[in-house]
Amino acid sequence: MKVPVFAVMLIIYGILPLLFTVNKHKPWIEASYHGVITENMDTVLLDPPLVALDKDAPVPYAGEICAFKINGDDAPFEAVVLNRTSGEGVLRASSPVDCENQKEYTFIIQAYDCGADPSGANWKKSHKAIVHIQVDDVNEFSPIFRESLYKASITEGKIYDSILQVEAWDQDCSPQYSQICNYEIVTAGTPFAIDRNGNIRNTERLSYDKQQSYKIMVTAFDCGQKRAKEDVVVHIEVKPVCKPGWQGWNKRVDYEPGTGSKQLFPKMHLETCGGPLSGVKAMVELQTNHIGKGCDRETYSEKSLQKLCGAASGSTDLLPAPSPSTNWTAALLTDSGRDSDLIYRFDGRQAANVPDHVVPQNLTDQFTIATWMKHGPSPGLRAEKETLLCSSDKTEMNRHHYSLYVHNCRLVFLLRRDFTQLDTFRPAEFHWKLEQICDKEWHYYVINVEFPAVTLFVDGVTYEPYLVTDDWPIHASKIDTQLTVGACWQGGEVATPRFTQYFRGSLSGLTIRPGRIETQKVISCLQACKEGLDINSLESLAKDIKSVLVVEGEDVDSINMAMTKVSYINSRQFPTPGLRRLHITTTVQCFGEDTCLSIPDIKAVVMVLPPSEPRITIAGSNRLVRPASDLRGPLGVAPFKELHITSTVMKGDGFGGREPGVMEVMHNLDYCDVLVIGEELNPDRESLEIHHSALLGKHLDATNSTSGISIYGVDSMAHYEQALRQVRYRNWRPANLSERRFRLTCSELNGRYTSNEFNLEVSVLHHSAPVEHANHMAVQSQYMRPIHHPLMMHSLNSHMSGSAPPAATVVIVVCIAALVVIVVIGVYRIHATHQEGSREDEDEVKDAEEEWDNSALTITVNPMEALGDEVRQEEHEEEEEEEEEELVGGVTSAESENSDEEEDDDEGREAAKERKQKGKLGWDSSSITY
């Protein structure tokens, strides 16, 4: 077979060259490349572009570029061939690139051809080229300050170039974005500025007195103008220029009533600026002239205060509170804005004549005159006499028997004795010249007379008269005298009797006590302040409260310690609220000099907070029903036998974390008045009184009149309660009396806190004709007083809770049976009492064991208990109440129950009386069986 020529040529010129082709050349690339990539992007911009060439082109495979390979495992890049024929490629990031982690990358790259055939065999690679990649930064981070808080201090009055420097930084990697190009003060209106480097300076001179510290906010910007995410706080404290003086004290100190002693300056210290000192003297003064009578004192009535201080009885209050029995002070001007402190103000036109029955008739050689007085200089060149107290002739003549007056800021006491007592030239006028008389402040004056000696006490300090003038005694006459307060009565030698020598000032507590002089101890007690400065924590100093304290020492540290112990104290349970001013003056001595430093005075205040006002409550039975025979008895009846006195205050959540609520408190009372409502008492047939024994052992006294009875004195509520229970009302002719009404009120602090008005009605049971067909089961007798037993009721409930209906039926039957028996007994006893009373004379005193007592019969609410025990208990209560109304040796039988002998005597007398009363019915409840 012959091969065609065409085929032979095709083989020779087409296939044979392929069979004999080889990969003669390796690829070629640039020796180095420089690239830029933006962080967080994947494309790299190379210079020059990535292109590989092969001289074997256009031979297939051998002249083509198949790959670019990077040498270096840590390089996060990859090279990709875009065109195998042209050899173009691209370099890109295989993972996110972060400039903050690495700014530059350097690695090796090589190009690979496709080899000699499709299998890639005999491939060749280019030389190694160096690739340097730079990562471009993105402004992704905000500036951050290196400190969370900056502090600095400067001295007032200076301008600073730099007070402090704040610094911020940025996490970005490039200089453009990582550098801080600007700082700015955010807070507006501050006297500060900041530069590009973060230096803060003041733009004006600062004053410590104006502002002690500044708080400013500062922010930062990087060079890409990105602002700090969080601003920074800068505290700048302004320190005063070292000035000698007290530091670390508050201008106001709040005082909570009842907290005792409170430190006023616990952190106070004296700044001396380092100078050597030889001595320091500090005087602390508490100014209380605007409180009450010069300071916070007890505002009880004068009689109550005297009783409280242990003064002898028998004093006469010449300026009492106006009342129906003390009406001579009703027309005088009073200063009612003084926390219930009774103060009378005289303006030169008011005076009062004291009734004759009030005036002590015989002063004797020993007596005391005491008063609170506030007085200023008298107007005019020639001041007239200003009379506080004057006893002068009522008519015909104008003789002054004794008087107390002020003249030209001198206090003068005049005492003219009767000629019958003395017939020689004797001392008559005693003069004192004191600053206190005209200083417009309150002072307590006491004149002790031990004739011929007269001593004056002012605020507890003794003063002897600087001048004593003699005079003849007054001749005896039958002319009556008139005692006047606030002026002197001129009843003779004038056409019309009138007041003269009017007083201008204020008075309070004017009293006179004949027969005795006051002791120093009592005088000090009566004028003692209840508030003041206390430093008793230091053993070397006195423990008495004072209005002025002086602290001296050579060591500043010891002075500082002493001043921190200075405290305010107010011992009143209910102090007067308001401001008290504090004034501290200090003098400093240096070595070799009298004074070397000037310490400014300190003015502060103590704010006494208002106390929780007590609510005094009087409770008890409002109606008392008694037969007429009880009122005729030797003791009568005790209207307030079941009286109870309590006091409560409201407490808020501001006190020790307690929740708001009512809390019972204990405090004193100073008087309780029992007033008769309606017609006054008729002394011929009735009385309201209290036995003297009921007041023994108590700081109490009592006065009574036809209008009622008053118990007064500073004492506890319990003692007042005991005393009021002993008040007795008696009427020995009660035939026409159906009822008597009384009203009881009590007071603390002379009426500052008053109780409710407790009204009580005493009803009298008279003899009445029997009523036929009276249904005593339907209506409870008014003489029966139900008594409830809580413990017994609890027992009943516990039994009934588990009982069946038949048990309830038994209970009802027993209740009805017990009620019937008790009512029958009551009706029978009432009948017996009426029968016995019809045979007695109206003025005959009935035996206590046979009297009717409304508490003798009770309706019990607990029939489940043993009825026999209950009846015996009721009878026992009846006997006790009847025994309490018997008087044994001046005291009630309740007070003598501890004596077995007295009980035996009582029983013997009762038995003898029963034997004498023939035909009378004697009731013995113990003989009844149920």
Side-chain angles (χ1 to χ4, degrees), residues 694-820:
L695 305 178
L696 293 178
K698 305 177 180 67
H699 296 288
L700 298 178
D701 208 342
T703 58
N704 61 345
S705 65
T706 57
S707 300
I709 186 170
S710 178
I711 302 174
Y712 61 90
V714 182
D715 212 331
S716 64
M717 292 187 295
H719 280 178
Y720 266 94
E721 192 176 273
Q722 295 171 9
L724 288 169
R725 291 177 179 179
Q726 300 297 323
V727 173
R728 297 280 176 168
Y729 172 68
R730 187 183 175 209
N731 191 317
W732 45 94
R733 297 177 185 175
N736 297 326
L737 181 67
S738 61
E739 61 187 20
R740 259 297 184 190
R741 293 186 176 90
F742 302 98
R743 177 174 297 158
L744 170 63
T745 56
C746 293
S747 155
E748 164 67 337
L749 297 175
N750 202 23
R752 178 178 173 184
Y753 306 117
T754 57
S755 69
N756 59 309
E757 293 183 350
F758 179 74
N759 296 312
L760 173 68
E761 177 182 308
V762 177
S763 299
V764 183
L765 178 65
H766 295 283
H767 307 308
S768 57
V771 181
E772 295 183 359
H773 307 291
N775 188 353
H776 298 286
M777 293 295 296
V779 181
Q780 177 179 321
S781 173
Q782 62 176 339
Y783 315 120
M784 298 182 183
R785 179 164 50 90
I787 297 180
H788 303 277
H789 304 278
L791 293 178
M792 298 169 66
M793 176 64 77
H794 174 74
S795 176
L796 171 62
N797 293 337
S798 63
H799 287 308
M800 292 181 63
S801 61
S803 62
T809 305
V810 173
V811 171
I812 296 174
V813 172
V814 174
C815 288
I816 295 175
L819 185 61
V820 171

Side-chain angles (χ1 to χ4, degrees), residues 429-504:
E429 278 190 342
F430 304 84
H431 300 250
W432 293 271
K433 184 179 180 181
L434 304 173
E435 295 180 357
Q436 295 93 319
I437 297 173
C438 289
D439 65 357
K440 297 183 181 180
E441 303 292 345
W442 280 103
H443 299 284
Y444 187 56
Y445 298 83
V446 178
I447 295 179
N448 272 349
V449 178
E450 289 183 287
F451 193 80
V454 177
T455 304
L456 172 68
F457 293 85
V458 181
D459 298 331
V461 180
T462 306
Y463 295 93
E464 297 296 332
Y466 80 94
L467 175 65
V468 178
T469 59
D470 297 342
D471 202 347
W472 289 102
I474 295 178
H475 286 81
S477 68
K478 296 183 178 180
I479 301 175
D480 294 334
T481 59
Q482 176 63 59
L483 184 62
T484 307
V485 176
C488 203
W489 178 255
Q490 187 174 0
E493 302 179 358
V494 291
T496 303
R498 58 188 177 89
F499 290 113
T500 62
Q501 303 176 7
Y502 283 100
F503 177 71
R504 293 177 176 86

